[in-house]
Structures are given as structure tokens and as C-alpha cells.
Amino acid sequence: MDRNKARLWFIRLMVYLLLGGCGFIMLFPFAYMMFTSVKNSTDVFHYPPRLLPYSAVTAEYEGQTLPVYEFEIDGETYEMVLTDEKVRYGFFTTQENIDVNNTRQSKILVELPIDEAVETEEEVTLSDPSTGKEDSFPVFEVPVSGESQNLLLAYRSSLDVFVEPGNPEFRHYAVARTAKPVEEVEFQLDNYDTVLGLNLDRAFTNTILVTVGVTLGQLITSIFGGYAFARIPFPGRNTIFILYLGSIMIPFVVLIVPLYRLMVVLGWQDRLVSLIVPWIFTAYGTFLMRQFFLSIPHEIEEAALLDGASRFRILWTIFVPLSTPVVATQAIFTFLYAWNSFLWPLIIIGEGDERNPVLTLALIQLSNIAADKPNLVMTGAAIAILPPIIVFILAQKYFIESVSSSAVKG
Amino acid sequence: MATVVTTRKQGQGLPKIIYISAAWNIIIMLGSFALSYILFTQEPNKQLKDLGDNVRYFLALIALIPAAAAMYSVYGLLARRPGGRYASMALNYVGAVLSCLYLLHLWGVFIAFDDAGKALFENSFLLWGFVIAYAVYWLAGRLPEYSPSRRYLEMFAIGVAMLALIALLLLGGAVEGVWNVISTYGELQTWAVTIVVIIFAFVGYQILNQGDFFGETPDQRTSWQGWLMVSPNIIGFMLFFAGPLLLSFYLSFTDSEPGSIPDVIGFKNYGDILSLEFKTLDDPEANPQRALSFGYIPLDDFKIGNTRVVIGAKDVLFWKSLRNTIVFCMMLVPLSSIPALLLAVIMNSKIPGMKFFRAAYFLPSVAAVVGTALIWRWLYASDIGYINYAITEFVNGINSIFGTQIEYQKTQWLTDQGILLFSIVLLAAWQAVGFNTVLFLAGLQGIPTTLYEASFVDGANRVQQFRHVTLPLLAPTTFYVIVTTVITGLQVFNEPYALISSRPIPDAATTSVIYLYNRGFFRFEFGYASAVAWLLFALIFVVTIAQFRLQRSGSYDV
């Protein structure tokens, strides 16, 4: 019994691990987008990559704002600012420790600013018999723990000077490039302002206009059409319905060239109207409405008809109020379709249109002009992606139900 | 209510409106003839001219339809036939709609969407009004039903939304817009069209009211109401679907190119696209180009025994794009449906938290492909991207555990021509898996649990249940998933276009629709592009039909 229970728990654990792992894969790109959208332009290129947005910590020193670095000296950690000073630094050692072929590989005994050592007149020439390389090294009097010692200068280098702001006497010399900067988590919300300023604001409102226009238009045409196809017997109804439904079979790619030509004839190219008016007629939506209206009992309608109500009145006062779920479903699908559509706007408006961009176009444009700023591209992506996601979270029920029903019917 | 019954004897004369309508129909007839004649003899404007003479002739023929309808309706009206009335109603209705559309065009309403966009942009702060209204409305929905505070809150929300809308209209320049419409009346044309609209509407309405005179039955009344209700769909269907479809078919047989008027060239486009040539080469080292006829470029070559076969094509890129598209679909279908099926089966076992996972998996299919493709572009980045980082860490982990020395050469997901297509498939599969999971879940929930219980009693284990109960009963859903995946896969465009930054898009990532786009909207070879589109449609059609056949003949019929 206990073994069975343990097995059950083990299976449960595995199931959740699997589901969680898949969930991680599905959601991680969005997390990446959100976190990258608030990073600064240097942090995005940090390797290994990290999710949280980090910024370099700065401190005031002698009236300047300077980046802070962290050093571990004699087991203690110090936070120091990088000054713009440089110092010539000498690396000293004995004759035996010098590697003539590559002086930087030599074993260094003492390293300190070159000015703290005293140069002597002497010079030692060393050579490697195997490679035949020969070099001469100046001899310095180097202070080593209070005493002066004669050592060879293996090589010299220019190092950055770091200072502890509270204790300016305490200095440290290192290469800034390889030093470890002190960083803190900071959300660069300015990115959103920057990106909106790159014409994404206009694209955003345009997209809202187009989406609202298409959604309202489709709802109106498909409520009328759906009602007529579901409830009004008229000669030729079935033929038209099948023809209309058959149009779903025709892929959009067949229509892009002639629709483009039609828009040119109408003078609608580069215009927002071309994103709205051709798209307010939908066979799929009409079908969806028809299916729903078919499920409404006839009795309700017949009573109203006997009372002399007109068809339009019946539709408006009886059918429309009853069809909130299907209207919501269709509205959501149309919203998504219009909000995310790309190929048609690309053809009819094109990339880089200043006046009438929609979000998907502006996003592609942004990815071109900010090709080396992934943080800005992710900000743009977030602006385009978040509204549908919010709608999805608010109206999840309708999404899942309608997708499910399409499969059962299909 | 008193009803006035007017009886009219035959021959006592028809109502005046019949004569007016008949006269108007004659005018329509003459107008249609005139339009047809104009279209037949001269080029009305440049845009139409660019489509070629055949389109013009076709439109001239179309213009004869209202002329014929008008002729018939004149006869029918005067002879008191119901058909005459219907013809007249249809004629006046369609005339009113079309002339109204033209009037809106003259008013500049369609173009004004751009100004509306600008106005919305300049007053975008008002959009918060709708957000607030929605939030309040949502809050009101939490309150108990029929409570007065709920009603007040709802009314408040509606009020806020209305106010925002009105403010948007006023600040957005609705007044200015109305003034612009009025100022279009400086032109005679606007007056003329307005009058035509009014006459159409007036005559149409009057004829509509003559139902009793023509002895209309309630059924007939219902009929025209039905037609009226589907009319927006039909008109839209004609204008934006059927018409363009015909035009596309016509263009595919022409050499439509920028700067020239298209000529019909028969099947030349189709021939050029589909031409293939198979030649054998005796010398394995020879240049394959030598073996091919003029105009053919080597597409591929392979060996059968010792002879080398060279395949040449006139349009190499078409075949490459077709191959890419088919390979894309063949990878996409298993990658997006098998994980979805497994996830659905797991999630179907009613475990807590299932709804959360379902929503999480569904999320990618909600987001714009352009946006997600850009995210993946950076996840794929070979030096700083997370995908290579994860693989590197994984390899390092393996190395440290097993003491192996595997070295991972960072994959160039987006520049390595051999991997590029696979990278696109991964993105597309990621996007589609959740959607398919929801579809499979719906299918699974339709399988009666008694079947599982019965099979359990028979001693079937989980795997056997899956194999012999789940799979067969899920066949319709599986079929639906595969068909829709293939149909969308064959039309893939957004994913490669947005994922790949280099232009032109490399051959390895050129799918059929990208090829079509390049031909049609980069080189503006509309005729050729249309032919490509129809071939693609034929392919989609054949694949769909084949799958239907497979489904029917399959043993999993339910």
C-alpha cells in the first residue's frame, strides 16, 4: 500500500516536472522579452546572459560621477571608483624568472607604479638559445618590504587608477576592462518612452483604430448574415451559403496580388482604410454566428413574429442579447487577427511608412533601426504583444472554448 | 385600428410610383448601356488601363447586367408581375449602395481613416476613458445581480465611455470633418451623385411598399428580408473576394509587369515556373550547366549507379522555395502535434492546476508572430543568446558529470544555411503547440470514460489504452490538427520574414509565400506572382483532398 502511494506521488512529481518544464519553454521567451525590455544597452550583451536588468553602480568622487568596481585585496572586499587617471606600471622580477619569448608570461615578484622604483643605468641582455630571441631588460632599485632590491623590469603596462571615495589615499591599480563592476538591479523604464518615440506611438493608435474598425464591422456583417442564413428561408440560401463557406478554402495568398491592384484602382494604397474595409466581410464569422443562432429555440422567435415584430427587431431585441458568448468569441478572434496581421499591411502600407504604420510594421522597422539594441526591440515587441496577452487573460474562457468548439465541429 | 382597403380594378391604371419607377429604370438602363459603351471604347482612368483591355471589356460586360435587369423590371412593373418589383428593388438597392459608396468616396470618408488615425494619436489620452469604463464595468459585474449599486456603476461606466467617445470625436475634428464633407459640394459631381443616391433610395423604398399591390405573400416578404440581411456579405464577397479571385486568375495568364500593359500569354507563366529538365551526364566531373538546354539552371543532381542525373529548372528558386515549404511542413507537423498530444493526454487526467498550464501553453499562439519572431531572433543569437547558452551549460554539465570532453561549437541558428529552416520550424512549433494542445484536449474530453473503464476491466494497461482507445477515437481531432497545421504551414510567411534580418531573405529560408512576395511586390511581376499563387493554392487543395481521402479510407473511422 505504501509502495503504491509512493509510486503515485512519484508519478505526480514527474507529471508536474514535465508540465512545468514545458510551461517554462512556452513562457520563457516572454519573460526574456519583459526583462530585456527594461535593460540598458550594455547589459543586454553581458555573457553569460542573465534575466534581471543590471546597471553599473556609480559614486560621486571629486565632483564626478564615476562607475564603481569591486576588488578583493588581501582577503577584504573594497568598492572603488574608476578615475580617468592612468598610471605606468612596472612588473619586476629576477633574471631567472624572465621568459624572453613572452615577457608577459614571466613569473613576477613585485609589481608597482614605475615611479616608485628607481631606474639604474644598468641593463641586462638575455637570450633564449632555442629560439634565438634576444632582449635587454633595465635594472631598477625596487622597494621590497622596506628594503631596496635590484630587479629587472620584465614589462610595463598602463593601468587604470581606482580610488576608494571615502579614503582617497587608498588607491588600486588594475585594468578596468577585466575588473568586476558593482551592479545593481535597475529597471530602465525609459526604454518604453524611447521606443514609443520611434513612431510606435502612432502605430499603436493606428492599430487600435484598425482593430476596432475591423472587429465592429465583422460583427455587424456576420450578425446579419448569420441570422439570415440560420433563420430566414429564402430561395438560393443554401447555394449562397455553401459558396460563401467554400471561400474559406481559398488561401489568402491567391488574393494578395489582385487585392493590391484593386486598392491601387480605388486609391487606397498606403491608407488605413485598406486595412479595414476589405476585412469586415467574413465567411468564418458568419458561419460562427449562424451555428450559434441555429441553437436558439424557434419558439421565442415565433411568438414575436406573431406579434408582428419585424425581422430586424427580432434580431436586435432577441438574438443579439442572447449571443454574448459567440459575439465575445468572434470579437476576440477578430481582434487577434487584426492586431497581429502582418502580410497585408506589409504589402499595402509597407515598412517605414511614417503616417500609417501599424504595430507589426513598426516593429519590423524598429528591428532594422535598432539592430544592435535588443533591449529596444524587446520593448517594441512587448508593446505589440502585451495587449493581446492582457485580452487573453481577461477573456481566457472564450478563447479556449471557441478553439475547442472549432475542433469538435471541424 | 382602421384599415383602409383600396381596391383597384384591372386596367384602372397603375399607381403613379410604378410609372415613376419604370421611367427611372429606363434611365438606369440607358446609363448602364452608356457605361458599358464607355468602358468598351475608351480607358476611363490610368489605374484601370494598367490592368489591360480585357479587364475593361469584362467590366463592360458586367455593366450590361443592370441594363438587362432594368429592362426586365420595366416590363415586369408595367405588367404587374412580382418579379418586376423584385428586379426593381434589387436594382435600386444595389444602385443605392454602390452610389452611396461612391458618394462616401467623394466625401473623402475612406481617406479620412488616416485623419482619424492621426486624431486618435493626438488625443490618445482619451483612450484611458475606455479603460476606466471597462474597469468600472468589470467591477460592477462582481456585485450581486439586480442590486441598485451595480446598475449605477454600469451606467456610470457606459457614461464614461460615451463621454470619451464624444470627446474623441469633438477633439479629433468631427466638426471639421463635417465641414470638409459640406465643402465637397462645391463640385457638381457631388450634387449629381447625391441626387442619384436619393432617387435610388426613394424609388427603391416606394417600390418596396407596393407589396400588397403585387400580391406579396408573407413568405416572399421573408425572402427579400433574408436577401437584404445577407446583402452586405454578398456585396463584400463580390468586391473583395470573387472579383479579385477572377482578376488573379486572369493575371496569372498575363505578363503583367510594371510599366507595361499586360498581354495574355497563355500558360507561359505556369510553364516557366514548372519547367523541369532531366539530363544524364556521362562525365561525373563535367559542369552540369553544359548538359541542360538554354534557359535551364541546374537545380539538383544525383547518381544512379554510375550515371549522374542533373535536374534543371527554368525557375530554380521556385522549386527551392517549394522544397523548403514542404520540408517545413514535414518538420512542423510532428513537432507541433506529437508534444501537443502527449501534453493533452497528461493534462486530461484531471490534475489540479491543469487550467494554468493550458493557459500558459496557449499564450504563444495569442502573440503576434512578428513580435515572437523578434524575441526568438535574440534567443537564437549565437554569441549571447539563451539557446546556445543553455546548450553550452548542458554540455558542460555532461562533461563534468561523465568526465567527457565534448566540445560544443556554438550553432549559428540564423546564419547557417543548413539549420536556418529548422530554426524557423522550432519557432513555428513553439507557437503552435499550445493551440494544438487545446484542440487535442477538447477531442479527449469527447471520449466517453466508460470506454477506458471497460478496457481497464479487460486488463489493458495505460499504453494499450492509449494505443487502442485514445488514438482511434481521437482520429478526427488528429486529422483536423494535421490539416490545419499543413494548410497554415504551406502559407508560412511571417516567421521567416521576421526571424531573419538579412535582406533579401536567403534561399534556404525562402518559402513559397516569401518567393511569391518577392516576385509580386519586390519585382512587381504580378502575372508571374499570380501564377505562383494559383500553383500554391492547387498544392494546398490537393494536400487537403488527399488528407480527406486518407481520413475516409483509414481504419480509424468513427
Side-chain angles (χ1 to χ4, degrees):
Chain A
M1 200 62 201
D2 266 354
R3 241 192 93 195
N4 261 348
K5 219 171 183 182
R7 220 189 110 198
L8 199 74
W9 276 108
F10 178 72
I11 290 177
R12 277 229 158 154
L13 184 73
M14 293 317 282
V15 162
Y16 276 110
L17 274 179
L18 183 69
L19 289 181
C22 291
F24 177 79
I25 294 173
M26 301 313 268
L27 295 184
F28 180 77
F30 295 111
Y32 170 77
M33 170 187 82
M34 288 316 296
F35 282 114
T36 309
S37 76
V38 287
K39 284 189 175 197
N40 65 36
S41 305
T42 47
D43 189 32
V44 278
F45 292 105
H46 188 271
Y47 192 88
R50 48 195 182 180
L51 269 186
L52 284 175
Y54 285 96
S55 294
V57 171
T58 56
E60 289 287 320
Y61 176 69
E62 291 184 342
Q64 281 176 295
T65 311
L66 300 169
V68 179
Y69 287 79
E70 193 179 85
F71 295 100
E72 203 164 302
I73 302 164
D74 301 330
E76 271 191 76
T77 322
Y78 296 90
E79 290 192 349
M80 306 174 110
V81 295
L82 168 68
T83 64
D84 47 12
E85 270 179 72
K86 293 252 179 193
V87 69
R88 280 168 9 101
Y89 214 64
F91 295 84
F92 303 95
T93 187
T94 55
Q95 200 167 322
E96 307 81 67
N97 285 329
I98 282 190
D99 184 343
V100 184
N101 294 316
N102 185 354
T103 52
R104 300 233 168 201
Q105 295 285 316
S106 311
K107 187 165 172 274
I108 302 301
L109 293 180
V110 181
E111 46 176 274
L112 73 185
I114 247 168
D115 299 342
E116 291 178 26
V118 184
E119 188 162 9
T120 63
E121 300 287 294
E122 281 175 62
E123 223 176 47
V124 177
T125 304
L126 296 172
S127 67
D128 185 347
S130 58
T131 58
K133 192 166 162 91
E134 199 180 86
D135 214 341
S136 54
F137 298 90
V139 179
F140 278 73
E141 277 177 23
V142 184
V144 182
S145 42
E147 288 173 40
S148 176
Q149 199 177 338
N150 276 7
L151 288 174
L152 301 187
L153 174 67
Y155 61 94
R156 57 182 96 203
S157 172
S158 171
L159 293 187
D160 298 291
V161 178
F162 293 85
V163 177
E164 208 177 28
N167 180 14
E169 295 300 299
F170 187 64
R171 306 179 124 217
H172 184 73
Y173 312 101
V175 182
R177 202 160 31 82
T178 55
K180 188 182 165 208
V182 178
E183 290 172 314
E184 61 179 4
V185 174
E186 194 184 312
F187 296 91
Q188 304 284 328
L189 293 174
D190 300 354
N191 285 348
Y192 282 83
D193 277 345
T194 314
V195 166
L196 282 176
L198 293 167
N199 217 16
L200 256 82
D201 46 2
R202 183 73 189 268
F204 192 82
T205 52
N206 278 345
T207 309
I208 290 177
L209 181 75
V210 168
T211 307
V212 169
V214 173
T215 309
L216 283 183
Q218 280 203 4
L219 283 178
I220 293 168
T221 61
S222 51
I223 283 177
F224 278 125
Y227 178 72
F229 282 129
R231 281 308 169 80
I232 306 181
F234 57 91
R237 181 179 76 170
N238 292 342
T239 320
I240 296 181
F241 183 66
I242 287 169
L243 260 179
Y244 200 32
L245 207 60
S247 71
I248 297 177
M249 275 285 288
I250 310 277
F252 173 58
V253 291
V254 180
L255 293 175
I256 48 178
V257 167
L259 263 183
Y260 172 81
R261 299 303 301 260
L262 180 64
M263 294 299 118
V264 173
V265 170
L266 294 175
W268 285 3
Q269 82 267 45
D270 306 338
R271 303 264 182 189
L272 286 181
V273 62
S274 61
L275 303 184
I276 302 174
V277 173
W279 303 105
I280 61 179
F281 309 99
T282 156
Y284 182 72
T286 309
F287 174 71
L288 204 71
M289 287 292 170
R290 172 184 178 267
Q291 296 306 93
F292 183 81
F293 288 153
L294 280 179
S295 71
I296 294 177
H298 275 278
E299 288 77 18
I300 306 178
E301 189 182 16
E302 274 157 14
L305 274 176
L306 283 179
D307 287 348
S310 76
R311 289 279 175 178
F312 291 94
R313 206 184 154 78
I314 291 171
L315 175 59
W316 182 245
T317 55
I318 300 177
F319 280 74
V320 171
L322 279 175
S323 45
T324 320
V326 73
V327 166
T329 302
Q330 208 205 324
I332 284 164
F333 266 79
T334 316
F335 161 78
L336 276 191
Y337 185 77
W339 189 277
N340 294 341
S341 73
F342 175 61
L343 178 55
W344 178 245
L346 178 69
I347 286 165
I348 207 74
I349 307 258
E351 282 178 36
D353 189 293
E354 288 282 309
R355 268 167 51 80
N356 293 327
V358 288
L359 272 175
T360 44
L361 290 178
L363 201 52
I364 285 288
Q365 174 78 356
L366 176 72
S367 78
N368 294 335
I369 55 179
D372 55 346
K373 292 201 175 68
N375 51 338
L376 295 189
V377 177
M378 288 308 117
T379 311
I383 292 169
I385 285 176
L386 281 182
I389 287 186
I390 291 169
V391 170
F392 170 67
I393 290 168
L394 289 178
Q396 211 204 103
K397 194 174 70 173
Y398 296 115
F399 275 82
I400 307 279
E401 267 171 18
S402 62
V403 173
S404 306
S405 71
S406 75
V408 173
K409 279 175 198 133
Chain B
M1 208 167 82
T3 27
V4 183
V5 182
T6 46
T7 45
R8 245 178 268 248
K9 285 186 192 117
Q10 200 79 24
Q12 202 183 341
L14 299 163
K16 221 182 254 168
I17 183 66
I18 303 288
Y19 293 112
I20 295 174
S21 177
W24 172 240
N25 283 351
I26 290 172
I27 295 174
I28 295 175
M29 186 183 74
L30 294 177
S32 302
F33 277 131
L35 185 66
S36 184
Y37 178 75
I38 291 171
L39 281 168
F40 217 82
T41 50
Q42 50 191 290
E43 287 138 0
N45 70 17
K46 191 189 170 298
Q47 274 80 24
L48 213 55
K49 186 184 159 194
D50 284 350
L51 287 173
D53 289 341
N54 291 315
V55 172
R56 232 179 58 215
Y57 299 151
F58 179 75
L59 289 177
L61 277 178
I62 294 282
L64 291 177
I65 294 174
M71 240 189 293
Y72 171 71
S73 81
V74 170
Y75 157 74
L77 281 176
L78 295 175
R80 207 176 165 179
R81 294 273 177 87
R85 170 169 168 259
Y86 291 131
S88 185
M89 272 161 66
L91 206 57
N92 280 299
Y93 174 68
V94 175
V97 169
L98 292 183
S99 55
C100 199
L101 287 176
Y102 190 59
L103 184 62
L104 290 176
H105 173 75
L106 289 180
W107 281 357
V109 169
F110 296 121
I111 305 300
F113 276 102
D114 293 1
D115 302 323
K118 188 163 173 261
L120 190 64
F121 168 60
E122 282 161 359
N123 303 295
S124 51
F125 66 93
L126 285 169
L127 289 172
W128 288 109
F130 297 105
V131 176
I132 292 166
Y134 179 79
V136 172
Y137 197 84
W138 183 84
L139 269 180
R142 306 295 104 183
L143 292 172
E145 227 169 320
Y146 305 120
S147 71
S149 46
R150 174 169 169 159
R151 261 195 52 223
Y152 288 134
L153 270 183
E154 280 177 357
M155 278 164 66
F156 175 75
I158 293 169
V160 169
M162 295 299 263
L163 271 181
L165 188 66
I166 291 167
L168 207 52
L169 284 176
L170 288 180
L171 290 174
V175 181
E176 196 190 338
V178 171
W179 176 246
N180 283 341
V181 168
I182 292 171
S183 61
T184 58
Y185 281 92
E187 303 215 7
L188 202 62
Q189 201 187 6
T190 322
W191 284 105
V193 175
T194 311
I195 290 165
V196 167
V197 171
I198 292 170
I199 296 176
F200 268 128
F202 174 77
V203 174
Y205 187 70
Q206 290 300 326
I207 284 294
L208 187 80
N209 284 339
Q210 293 298 318
D212 293 338
F213 179 71
F214 285 90
E216 190 180 52
T217 62
D219 277 356
Q220 287 170 335
R221 198 180 162 77
T222 312
S223 292
W224 66 252
Q225 285 180 342
W227 277 99
L228 186 63
M229 281 193 175
V230 290
S231 65
N233 276 306
I234 293 177
I235 292 172
F237 178 80
M238 290 293 176
L239 281 180
F240 298 115
F241 184 83
L245 200 65
L246 278 179
L247 181 60
S248 167
F249 195 65
Y250 161 71
L251 282 175
S252 74
F253 293 100
T254 67
D255 58 355
S256 173
E257 271 180 2
S260 72
I261 291 162
D263 291 314
V264 175
I265 51 168
F267 283 92
K268 185 169 181 300
N269 287 331
Y270 291 97
D272 285 353
I273 295 167
L274 292 176
S275 292
L276 278 182
E277 195 179 57
F278 293 84
K279 283 280 164 78
T280 52
L281 266 183
D282 300 326
D283 178 10
E285 300 303 316
N287 182 359
Q289 182 71 69
R290 291 264 173 93
L292 299 169
S293 320
F294 176 75
Y296 285 84
I297 296 166
L299 173 68
D300 206 350
D301 57 330
F302 54 89
K303 268 186 175 168
I304 303 176
N306 274 333
T307 45
R308 188 166 157 217
V309 181
V310 177
I311 308 173
K314 276 189 178 168
D315 188 347
V316 174
L317 201 50
F318 169 78
W319 289 101
K320 279 187 183 167
S321 72
L322 191 64
R323 183 172 58 192
N324 288 339
T325 312
I326 290 170
V327 170
F328 176 85
C329 284
M330 277 165 36
M331 289 198 281
L332 180 66
V333 168
L335 275 176
S336 70
S337 60
I338 292 173
L341 178 60
L342 293 179
L343 285 174
V345 168
I346 291 170
M347 284 159 71
N348 196 35
S349 50
K350 306 276 178 302
I351 49 166
M354 189 270 259
K355 279 193 170 161
F356 168 77
F357 286 113
R358 195 177 61 176
Y361 298 160
F362 197 74
L363 213 51
S365 56
V366 171
V369 176
V370 177
T372 52
L374 288 177
I375 301 174
W376 279 72
R377 191 194 274 186
W378 286 98
L379 289 177
Y380 275 138
S382 61
D383 44 356
I384 57 158
Y386 264 99
I387 292 177
N388 271 348
Y389 171 67
I391 298 175
T392 313
E393 288 296 296
F394 180 73
V395 170
N396 288 345
I398 295 273
N399 283 342
S400 66
I401 292 169
F402 299 105
T404 46
Q405 295 291 325
I406 309 166
E407 208 163 304
Y408 172 61
Q409 287 290 332
K410 289 194 170 177
T411 312
Q412 306 288 320
W413 295 97
L414 298 181
T415 44
D416 187 330
Q417 302 297 303
I419 293 175
L420 198 45
L421 197 61
F422 182 67
S423 309
I424 302 167
V425 173
L426 272 187
L427 163 66
W430 173 78
Q431 194 113 23
V433 157
F435 194 82
N436 290 346
T437 308
V438 172
L439 289 179
F440 277 125
L441 261 176
L444 284 172
Q445 277 158 3
I447 299 178
T449 45
T450 47
L451 284 175
Y452 288 102
E453 284 155 15
S455 63
F456 183 74
V457 171
D458 289 346
N461 62 28
R462 287 271 174 127
V463 178
Q464 284 170 327
Q465 279 184 344
F466 179 73
R467 171 78 186 77
H468 296 289
V469 180
T470 310
L471 274 187
L473 285 172
L474 205 58
T477 312
T478 315
F479 169 71
Y480 179 79
V481 167
I482 291 176
V483 168
T484 47
T485 310
V486 169
I487 290 177
T488 49
L490 287 174
Q491 298 178 62
V492 64
F493 176 85
N494 295 1
E495 284 90 344
Y497 191 93
L499 189 61
I500 293 156
S501 55
S502 60
R503 295 288 182 270
I505 288 173
D507 287 2
T510 300
T511 61
S512 291
V513 180
I514 286 194
Y515 179 66
L516 169 80
Y517 172 80
N518 284 341
R519 258 348 240 257
F521 297 96
F522 207 70
R523 292 161 68 167
F524 290 100
E525 297 166 343
F526 292 118
Y528 201 87
S530 297
V532 173
W534 277 91
L535 285 171
L536 195 60
F537 170 45
L539 178 71
I540 292 172
F541 192 75
V542 166
V543 167
T544 318
I545 295 294
Q547 281 174 328
F548 265 105
R549 281 277 164 84
L550 229 81
Q551 149 93 351
R552 277 214 196 123
S553 66
S555 51
Y556 293 151
D557 250 329
V558 185

